């Protein structure tokens, strides 16, 4: 295996950003940002996490042109997708299969960019997203985002994005990044807490 891996659509290599990989029943499903004029979200499938084949569009709509940072979670027997077209708020979609078709379950919820799902210890679904002040944490209830909390600060008083939380050995570990992605000062931060939604101690 060599890096970088190249993704191919119709025999042509394409450049993608924000790849998210879902593992389900021993297969890997990769959903990248759509950076061209395609109005939807593509999925690439792999059995070995090395070789990926383009399945095609798993969600398709004019609303999904330049669909940034799609992410999918399997929750309560359904696959739920979030994406932020052009970075202008999030749409949520669902499907009975990781290969779609995904259909809308919300209008644009107008909540910034770079959404990420997270489950608490009681298997309740929550949502992380970039915010002007850092990273925010919200409850996802009845297809709505409620009870916003700001849980992580800005990075260097600049744009902050790409949040994720993982639970391991009694701690919640958060990672996020920030500043312009093309800048030499772009960096990744990590933080930890014994609570999922507060008291994070950051490390650079």
């Amino acid at each position: 295996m060599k890096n970088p891996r190249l993704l191919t659509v119709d025999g042509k290599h394409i450049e993608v950003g924000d790849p998210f990989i879902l593992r389900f029943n021993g297969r890997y499903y990769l959903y990248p940002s759509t950076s061209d004029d395609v109005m939807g979200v593509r999925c690439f499938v792999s059995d070995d996490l090395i070789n990926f084949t383009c399945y095609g569009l798993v969600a398709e709509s004019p609303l999904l042109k330049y669909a940034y940072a799609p992410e999918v979670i399997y929750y309560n027997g359904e696959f739920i997708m979030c994406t932020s077209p052009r970075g202008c708020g999030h749409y949520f979609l669902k499907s009975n299969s990781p290969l779609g078709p995904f259909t809308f379950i919300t209008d644009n919820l107008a909540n910034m960019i770079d959404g990420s799902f997270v489950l608490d210890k009681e298997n309740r679904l929550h949502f992380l997203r970039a915010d002007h002040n850092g990273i925010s944490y919200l409850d996802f209830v009845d297809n709505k985002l409620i009870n916003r909390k700001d849980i992580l600060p800005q990075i260097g008083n600049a744009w902050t994005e790409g949040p994720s939380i993982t639970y391991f050995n009694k701690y919640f570990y958060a990672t996020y990044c920030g500043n312009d992605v093309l800048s030499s000062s772009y960096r990744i931060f990590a933080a930890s807490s014994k609570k999922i939604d507060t008291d994070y101690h950051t490390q650079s």
Side-chain angles (χ1 to χ4, degrees):
M1 178 181 176
K2 296 181 180 180
N3 284 318
R5 303 301 296 164
L6 297 176
L7 296 178
T8 302
V9 176
D10 297 329
K12 298 180 180 180
H13 295 309
I14 64 169
E15 295 183 359
V16 300
D18 308 306
F20 174 82
I21 295 178
L22 169 73
R23 183 178 184 270
F24 183 75
N25 285 345
R27 302 193 81 186
Y28 301 93
Y29 302 86
L30 187 154
Y31 309 87
S33 287
T34 305
S35 57
D36 51 25
D37 286 335
V38 172
M39 298 184 186
V41 177
R42 290 188 180 102
C43 182
F44 297 80
V45 183
S46 175
D47 290 321
D48 58 11
L49 206 55
I50 297 175
N51 301 292
F52 283 88
T53 300
C54 182
Y55 173 82
L57 293 176
V58 295
E60 190 170 3
S61 168
L63 295 174
L64 297 177
K65 185 176 181 180
Y66 300 111
Y68 292 168
E71 183 168 318
V72 176
I73 188 172
Y74 182 65
Y75 182 68
N76 286 347
E78 295 180 318
F79 297 88
I80 302 176
M81 173 188 289
C82 66
T83 185
S84 178
R86 294 184 182 271
C88 297
H90 288 92
Y91 290 95
F92 289 76
L93 305 90
K94 71 175 182 179
S95 174
N96 292 322
S97 165
L99 296 175
F102 284 85
T103 57
F104 288 94
I105 58 175
T106 72
D107 293 324
N108 191 321
L109 297 183
N111 274 266
M112 301 293 290
I113 192 172
D114 275 3
S116 179
F117 295 112
V118 59
L119 295 173
D120 64 20
K121 295 178 182 178
E122 287 73 40
N123 202 45
R124 293 175 299 203
L125 187 60
H126 305 276
F127 191 66
L128 306 172
R129 56 132 169 113
D131 197 294
H132 292 297
N133 300 316
I135 301 299
S136 291
Y137 172 100
L138 303 98
D139 301 329
F140 187 65
V141 179
D142 296 330
N143 298 336
K144 296 180 181 179
L145 293 174
I146 60 174
N147 301 330
R148 168 189 159 189
K149 293 183 179 180
D150 295 329
I151 63 169
L152 292 165
Q154 290 174 296
I155 293 178
N157 295 317
W159 181 251
T160 303
E161 60 187 12
S164 178
I165 291 179
T166 301
Y167 181 73
F168 177 72
N169 197 22
K170 299 182 180 181
Y171 279 88
F172 293 95
Y173 294 92
T175 58
Y176 59 118
C177 45
N179 291 331
D180 188 323
V181 70
L182 300 178
S183 168
S184 60
S185 64
Y186 195 76
R187 64 195 71 179
I188 296 174
F189 271 40
S192 61
S193 176
K194 288 191 174 182
K195 300 178 182 179
I196 193 171
D197 61 349
T198 189
D199 294 337
Y200 278 92
H201 301 278
T202 59
Q203 302 174 7
S204 60

